[in-house]
Each structure stands twice: as structure tokens, then as C-alpha cells.
Amino acid sequence: MSALAAARENPLMLGLFIPIQSGGWSPSHLPRGIDWRFPYNLRLTKRAEALGFDLVFGQAQWLGCDGYGGKTRYRAESLDAFMVAAGLASATSRIILISTLHILYGPLHPLHIARFGATIDHMAGGRWGLNVVTGFAPEEFTMFGMAPIEHDKRYEMAGEFTEMMETLWRSSGNVTVDGRYWSMKDAFVSPKPRHGRPIMVNAASSPAGLEYAARYADMIFVTSPGGAEIGAALDTLPALIADVKARGRRYGRDVATIVNPMIVCRETEQEARAFFDAIVAEADDEAVDRLFGRMRSGNVASWKGHKRDQRIAGGNIQMVGSPEQIVDWMVRLKATGCDGVQMTFFDFEPELEFFGERVLPLLQQAGLRAPAAREQRAVAS
């Protein structure tokens, strides 16, 4: 059984969006113990695996020396998600490792990524996934000496890039392709991915992006059209998810959808709300403004319904409440058609422990997670 097939045996997959960039998802001055460096993220990943989580996800970013600025120098330090997955591969045994990669920046060739990715997948025993992103921020393109690429053309290029990788992954002989954007002659990739190809992931909201994702991705990272407030997200996600799944079916594919909630959970709603309010009250305003400005600077559709102040705590949606409330919202997320959550926390280590102790058993009782013994099993070789 593939790693993704095993994960999808759970009615709701659980993922952790590891903070491989300084400040994680919250440009706030409120004290916490978060750390962007590898040992911290390794501990988080191993703990998530022990708790039965299905996947961890790393973000890719390209920023200048001050990150998003402010007193926190938000995200000024970061690790490469591709390399992090390679480092995590031999330290884990079951959890899926997903790397985000801007495939259009610089002189990357499909042959490079097909080889590098197949190698990580080999190291991980078939547990590696590639989150394909095409970039949207003009300043990222110029960092690589490139002019920004028109929105729909980016997905046309991504389609050719992916087709070439898939051809290399499945071919037992040399491959020659003369494409519009890339070419290769007598190219070959070894080793081959464990299950034919790695797990393919994409985040999309625009028509061109959704068509790419429906055709190539196994898992689609959806963004709440209504913004980060949980009620608005629950109202607006069903139509988007139905569209995503219908597009996938037209290609004969059963795509999974996953969303990114910021979880702020305490024993009572009042405690959770007080902590959330403290995060917001300590906003690094310069960093928030620059982050929100970048999100609005490119021709990207995903974040149009989101507000500036929702970026302080972060997350695609925000769940603030007691363990029982968090589970209720996850039940309702499942009812929208969502297949998984890729969670973030403000202070990861203690909050992940609290989630494991207080929320996870309730998710099992609600029927959203398989029994603990089944969650802990390793993927069959």
C-alpha cells in the first residue's frame, strides 16, 4: 500500500506545517519557543509521526536579508524544504514528507527535479511528495534575474515540466523530448520512485491553476475563499472543493483536498480566545504590512478573501477554542468535502503535545481518525 493510500484510510488526514522559517506563521512579538532550525523541526516531525500524523509539509520562500522586516525580522531565516525532506527521510519511518519547490525559478530542468525527487523518495521508502509551485511575487522572479511570467503561462509551463518528470519516472529507457520550454535527449533517471511517481501536490484557486492541479496533483491544497474566520471558511469551501473534485473526476482522478488551519486550543474557549487576542495584540505591524502587501502584489487568486489582520496569527483558516470546539469544526470541515488538515501552531512543541493529549482522542471518538493501533503501523513494504 502506498503512503498516501494508507493516509487516506483516515476520514480526515492530519498534517503538520513545520516552521522551517523564522517566526513560523505568526509575525507577533508574543514570547514563544519556536525555532526554524533543523533539530527543532526534526523533533516536531518525529513527535507528529509518533502521534499518528500522516504528513509534514515544508514551505518554500525567497526573501531578502530582512525577510518581511519589522523588529522580528519575520522569516529572515529559513531552510530549504527540499533539503529538509531529505534530512527527515532516514529519521522517520511512516510519515509522508512533502517539499515545496518553485519549479520555474532559475535554470531548473525537469531532469534535475526528477532525479533529485526520485532519490529522496528512495531514501524515504516511497514517502516523499512534491508540492509544485510556480511563484507569483514579482520580487522572487527578479531575485533569479527573471521577468515575472504571466499567470496562465506559468501553469502551461508547469504542465510541460510535470509531463517530462513523469515520463522520466516511468521510463525504463532513455528519453528524448523536444518541448516548448524544455528539451532533453537520451535522458534517464535512476532510482525510480517507489510507487511509480512521488506524491504530487499543488495549491490552486484560479481556473488555470485548478486545471493543472486536477490533472497532475494527488493532493490539492485549497485556500478558504471567505478568509480565515472559521464560519466564513465553512460557508465558502464547499463550492470550491466540489469544483476541485469534479475537475479531478474529469481526468479520471480521485484527488484529495487539504486546508491549513492555525490551531489555538486551550481547555476553555475563554482561555483560547485570550491567548489568540494576545498574539494579535503583539503584532509586528511592519512585518504584517509587508507580508500582506506581498500576498496582494502578484496575480494570485488564493488570498483575495483574506484580511490584513488575519495574517497576524496566520493560517489559511483559524480555529480558536476548546478541544471540543476544534473537533466540531474539523467534523464540519470534513462535511465540506475536505480530506485533510495541514495544521500550524503559534508555539509548536507545547501546542502539538496538547493537541495529541486532548484533541486527538476526541477526533478518534468522532470517527475522523482510525484507531490508534492502525495509525501507528508502518506502511507495508
Side-chain angles (χ1 to χ4, degrees):
M1 179 184 294
S2 72
L4 183 57
R8 293 193 69 177
E9 287 190 338
N10 287 291
L12 189 73
M13 293 184 289
L14 293 183
L16 188 67
F17 217 151
I18 53 176
I20 60 173
Q21 63 286 327
S22 55
W25 275 260
S26 307
S28 172
H29 297 286
L30 193 69
R32 53 183 161 161
I34 192 173
D35 189 343
W36 59 272
R37 287 169 289 194
F38 184 77
Y40 181 83
N41 284 283
L42 174 60
R43 290 200 307 272
L44 289 178
T45 300
K46 293 176 74 171
R47 186 60 185 138
E49 181 173 66
L51 289 170
F53 277 52
D54 302 297
L55 60 146
V56 294
F57 212 104
Q59 175 181 281
Q61 64 171 26
W62 296 97
L63 296 170
C65 62
D66 286 329
Y68 287 106
K71 293 182 179 179
T72 61
R73 295 180 65 241
Y74 182 55
R75 294 186 175 176
E77 307 285 355
S78 65
L79 300 174
D80 179 76
F82 207 80
M83 297 297 102
V84 166
L88 294 173
S90 63
T92 55
S93 61
R94 185 194 60 82
I95 200 163
I96 294 168
L97 311 169
I98 297 178
S99 304
T100 302
L101 182 70
H102 293 85
I103 62 169
L104 303 185
Y105 290 171
L108 284 177
H109 191 282
L111 183 59
H112 281 123
I113 307 309
R115 178 69 175 272
F116 298 161
T119 299
I120 299 178
D121 190 69
H122 178 79
M123 294 163 63
R127 294 180 291 118
W128 181 70
L130 175 62
N131 177 33
V132 171
V133 289
T134 63
F136 73 92
E139 57 267 40
E140 289 187 346
F141 284 96
T142 56
M143 186 178 287
F144 286 87
M146 301 170 62
I149 302 171
E150 188 272 329
H151 180 278
D152 287 8
K153 182 180 178 180
R154 297 201 301 262
Y155 285 103
E156 180 183 329
M157 295 174 71
E160 181 174 299
F161 196 105
T162 304
E163 291 277 2
M164 287 191 175
M165 289 194 299
E166 292 192 344
T167 299
L168 289 162
W169 286 329
R170 65 174 176 258
S171 177
S172 59
N174 293 341
V175 174
T176 297
V177 178
D178 186 15
R180 181 175 180 183
Y181 303 106
W182 294 275
S183 297
M184 52 190 177
K185 182 178 180 180
D186 294 333
F188 184 71
V189 161
S190 172
K192 300 299 183 185
R194 183 69 172 274
H195 300 289
R197 71 170 193 172
I199 299 163
M200 298 296 289
V201 186
N202 187 247
S205 294
S206 68
L210 288 172
E211 278 302 298
Y212 169 85
R215 185 169 183 176
Y216 297 107
D218 303 301
M219 187 184 305
I220 299 178
F221 203 5
V222 295
T223 302
S224 162
E229 193 275 321
I230 184 62
L234 291 169
D235 287 340
T236 56
L237 278 169
L240 173 60
I241 292 174
D243 182 28
V244 167
K245 290 185 175 290
R247 290 173 187 263
R249 286 193 296 271
R250 288 200 290 271
Y251 290 104
R253 310 185 66 251
D254 177 22
V255 297
T257 54
I258 192 164
V259 70
N260 163 227
M262 164 62 72
I263 305 291
V264 178
C265 186
R266 296 293 186 271
E267 286 292 349
T268 67
E269 179 182 4
Q270 291 76 15
E271 290 174 283
R273 180 54 60 182
F275 186 66
F276 180 86
D277 290 345
I279 295 170
V280 174
E282 293 292 328
D284 186 338
D285 286 321
E286 179 185 341
V288 175
D289 288 339
R290 287 176 63 178
L291 171 65
F292 192 66
R294 170 175 274 216
M295 291 167 63
R296 293 301 181 94
S297 69
N299 51 357
V300 61
S302 298
W303 297 97
K304 288 184 177 178
H306 290 246
K307 300 175 182 177
R308 182 260 187 199
D309 285 357
Q310 292 174 338
R311 297 305 93 221
I312 300 169
N316 178 257
I317 56 177
Q318 294 167 351
M319 298 182 182
V320 183
S322 67
E324 293 78 10
Q325 288 173 304
I326 300 300
V327 172
D328 179 65
W329 284 320
M330 289 194 179
V331 169
R332 294 170 66 187
L333 266 180
K334 176 64 181 177
T336 69
C338 190
D339 297 303
V341 289
Q342 184 74 13
M343 294 178 286
T344 59
F345 299 99
F346 181 75
D347 194 0
F348 275 75
E349 281 191 301
E351 294 181 47
L352 177 60
E353 287 299 322
F354 185 80
F355 184 92
E357 178 183 347
R358 294 287 289 111
V359 180
L360 189 56
L362 298 179
L363 287 173
Q364 292 168 350
Q365 292 175 23
L368 291 182
R369 297 293 295 173
R374 193 167 113 203
E375 286 192 348
Q376 297 296 336
R377 74 184 182 190
V379 176
S381 60

